[in-house]
Amino acid sequence: MPYGSRLAAMMTRRIGRECVYTPSARLALYLALRRWCRPGARVLMSPVNDDVILFVVLAAGLRPVQAPVSQWDGNIDPAAVPESTWRDVDAVLTTNLYGLPDRVVELRRRCDELGIPLIEDAAHAIGTHVDGQPIGTFGTAAAFSLSKHVAGMAGGFLAVEDARTRRELELLRDDLLTPRRLRDDLSTTLRPLARSTVRTLHIVRPVWRTMQRLGLLERDDFRMALHAPRLAGSAHHAPSLAAYEPWVRVDLHGFRSRHGTLVRGQLELRMTLLDGDLARRRAGVSLLSGTTWASPALRDRAGDGLPPLFRVPLLVHDRDALLERLVNHGVVAGYVYDPPLDDYAGAEFVEPSPDPRAARWFAAHTLPADPLLARRIAAALTKERATAAHPPLSATQVPGPDPTTTLPTPLGP
């Protein structure tokens, strides 16, 4: 029986596609990029994304091409991508940022016209639908993460279109897995329980501050250190996970460790709790979407039902200072993707967006709110007198690289 087949079968029943179980979504994404993109291929992607994803793309030996994005949700704006760029890319990678869906219908149409693969990063988007169809079923392949929605701190899937492709990818996955170690399995099993205990005992603030003081966090800022000379040297070995492992493994060192029965058993249990988790998230999204800070992108979803977001993008002024003060309220809000990847990595490692202003504005003003903590976050922001930020009328109408002009009232998308 293939490794992780029971978990894969559970996910297959959920979305209706063949699934390969992986220790992480980042390994699932690497498998997809290696399977459908030749080395040197150009991949269109949003610059408002986790830096780990950038390094996965580089590890696969590919050139990341940064796309213009919507100022409302940070996902690719297909209409703003120049035709010359469309003609020159070899694949498209979605983000579904925080669970808000990419414009997958339009992206799929363009990819079909060009004969290139659409690869969905659905790590934030278990439970998100577009026109009644699950995210993860629009593309050639889709990577999912269990660590996001069921707090498993491990586990992922690669969803593909047919059983033959699944079997091919299982073989490629097995070649990339590192041996299981009991110590790692115990750590992976206990970490979610430890995090839950910290929250239950209301000791988030002292624990977080202690980790900061002791230097136990792998990132000093929103982005990890680039180490550009070393990164440039790794390109000589690409495609290679081993060469890029110092970057790809950040925050999840066991991203390709073979899980034993202890970890897989825990994840199977957590998968049975997924629908309850999604229901609670949807309730939190409903609460936060009614606040003054919510991105108007949520209004796009009113007719299709609010998605059970991984994080709710709140648009605020003085975001960085607010994040620091939220810790005093027992809220550590991660998953901030600022600056955009082209500003972070530079033209040596990515092709910059032809119009980066919307990405810069969105990345600088977004506070990702956990919908499971909706009431606490709303109360904290109210107490801190947080002010809502509204993007410029149009990124193309505002001069300068980093506009911060605000409007007196929210605008529709």
Side-chain angles (χ1 to χ4, degrees):
M1 182 178 292
Y3 164 73
S5 57
R6 289 179 58 177
L7 279 161
M10 294 173 75
M11 192 63 179
T12 294
R13 288 193 294 271
R14 174 169 288 275
I15 67 169
R17 276 202 170 186
E18 295 284 334
C19 290
V20 178
Y21 175 72
T22 58
S24 65
R26 57 191 76 177
L27 182 62
L29 182 58
Y30 181 80
L31 289 172
L33 295 171
R34 289 300 313 276
R35 171 63 174 75
W36 279 283
C37 299
R38 69 183 187 280
R42 295 159 51 82
V43 180
L44 186 71
M45 60 185 291
S46 166
V48 187
N49 205 334
D50 194 335
D51 42 23
V52 166
I53 302 305
L54 168 67
F55 297 121
V56 171
V57 174
L58 292 174
L62 310 176
R63 176 70 171 173
V65 178
Q66 306 305 289
V69 303
S70 164
Q71 61 187 359
W72 300 105
D73 60 24
N75 287 321
I76 296 172
D77 181 356
V81 178
E83 286 301 318
S84 58
T85 300
W86 279 119
R87 292 193 297 269
D88 204 29
V89 295
D90 303 292
V92 174
L93 173 63
T94 68
T95 308
N96 300 296
L97 188 60
Y98 305 131
L100 285 169
D102 268 88
R103 291 141 184 85
V104 284
V105 174
E106 173 65 10
L107 290 173
R108 181 64 192 249
R109 182 183 68 81
R110 293 304 302 258
C111 286
D112 287 346
E113 290 173 353
L114 295 166
I116 61 177
L118 173 65
I119 298 173
E120 297 179 80
D121 183 347
H124 291 180
I126 291 180
T128 296
H129 291 70
V130 172
D131 297 333
Q133 182 175 339
I135 285 294
T137 60
F138 289 88
T140 308
F144 287 92
S145 172
L146 282 181
S147 66
K148 303 295 189 297
H149 280 287
V150 294
M153 307 290 285
F157 299 102
L158 182 63
V160 297
E161 294 179 307
D162 57 78
R164 179 178 178 180
T165 303
R166 171 182 58 76
R167 289 191 292 269
E168 291 176 0
L169 287 162
E170 286 172 344
L171 294 174
L172 178 57
R173 173 205 60 194
D174 291 347
D175 286 342
L176 293 170
L177 293 177
T178 56
R180 178 183 71 88
R181 295 190 302 176
L182 179 58
R183 184 180 65 183
D184 293 340
D185 275 7
L186 289 172
S187 174
T188 301
T189 303
L190 293 174
R191 282 176 66 199
L193 301 177
R195 184 168 65 176
S196 177
T197 300
V198 165
R199 286 183 173 176
T200 301
L201 296 178
H202 304 291
I203 55 174
V204 171
R205 177 186 175 186
V207 169
W208 181 257
R209 297 297 190 203
T210 299
M211 292 177 68
Q212 286 180 314
R213 286 193 292 269
L214 295 178
L216 298 179
L217 303 175
E218 289 195 85
R219 301 171 191 261
D220 293 328
D221 209 337
F222 302 137
R223 299 295 192 187
M224 69 178 81
L226 189 68
H227 300 297
R230 186 179 178 188
L231 185 63
S234 297
H236 299 299
H237 306 285
S240 167
L241 263 185
Y244 286 85
E245 189 147 340
W247 296 271
V248 176
R249 73 176 187 174
V250 166
D251 300 329
L252 189 62
H253 286 209
F255 77 97
R256 60 178 179 136
S257 298
R258 178 181 287 271
H259 293 150
T261 55
L262 185 64
V263 174
R264 299 201 308 273
Q266 178 194 222
L267 292 176
E268 287 173 21
L269 175 61
R270 289 180 176 274
M271 278 286 286
T272 65
L273 305 175
L274 178 56
D275 287 329
D277 177 89
L278 296 178
R280 289 188 294 274
R281 288 181 181 277
R282 192 172 281 108
V285 172
S286 179
L287 188 154
L288 289 171
S289 66
T291 67
T292 185
W293 315 288
S295 167
L298 286 171
R299 290 203 296 265
D300 283 349
R301 304 292 301 177
D304 200 24
L306 289 171
L309 299 181
F310 171 58
R311 292 291 184 270
V312 178
L314 304 180
L315 301 177
V316 296
H317 286 293
D318 300 319
R319 190 271 318 281
D320 295 359
L322 276 172
L323 287 173
E324 187 67 19
R325 297 203 299 272
L326 280 177
V327 177
N328 297 329
H329 297 272
V331 175
V332 176
Y335 302 97
V336 174
Y337 304 133
D338 185 29
L341 292 175
D342 35 8
D343 290 338
Y344 162 65
E348 180 179 2
F349 301 107
V350 307
E351 181 173 316
S353 167
D355 189 352
R357 288 172 292 181
R360 286 171 175 161
W361 190 93
F362 184 85
H365 291 84
T366 300
L367 190 158
D370 186 343
L372 300 180
L373 302 175
R375 292 189 183 280
R376 183 186 300 181
I377 291 172
L381 291 177
T382 300
K383 188 172 182 179
E384 295 293 344
R385 298 184 179 181
T387 57
H390 308 297
L393 279 167
S394 169
T396 61
Q397 294 174 343
V398 179
D402 189 15
T404 56
T405 303
T406 61
L407 299 172
T409 56
L411 295 179

